Amino acid sequence: QDEEKSLLLINDDINTFQHVIASLVEICGHDDMQAEQCAVLTHHKGGCVIKMGDALTLEQLSVKLKDHNLDTIVL
């Protein structure tokens, strides 16, 4: 019943690729390649969907990513 939502990572001019990749691996469970692809896409396109799931789970991930200074939106 709960519709699937998307967690969008927003590009910024603050964080390094290494920090973004490490954060995605640690918080979202990405492997290195997946995290690197998301970081590059976010850099070039301004944003990238990094996770799909229920709203509650994504909101919790969003809070953790914000603690790492990453900007995200649940859509």
Side-chain angles (χ1 to χ4, degrees):
Q1 167 139 5
D2 196 15
E3 71 176 282
E4 193 168 59
K5 302 281 189 183
S6 303
L7 183 59
L8 185 72
L9 178 63
I10 308 295
N11 190 39
D12 62 49
D13 296 325
I14 302 155
N15 294 298
T16 63
F17 277 103
Q18 290 81 4
H19 175 71
V20 173
I21 291 165
S23 299
L24 292 176
V25 169
E26 177 189 335
I27 296 165
C28 295
H30 287 194
D31 61 35
D32 289 337
M33 181 63 72
Q34 186 181 14
E36 187 175 338
Q37 288 174 337
C38 287
V40 170
L41 276 171
T42 299
H43 178 72
H44 289 293
K45 295 187 179 286
C48 174
V49 173
I50 54 172
K51 202 82 170 169
M52 304 286 288
D54 65 276
L56 181 62
T57 302
L58 297 183
E59 289 290 355
Q60 291 168 340
L61 289 174
S62 184
V63 168
K64 291 178 183 174
L65 289 163
K66 280 179 172 55
D67 288 342
H68 285 243
N69 294 320
L70 298 182
D71 195 9
T72 59
I73 302 174
V74 176
L75 300 172

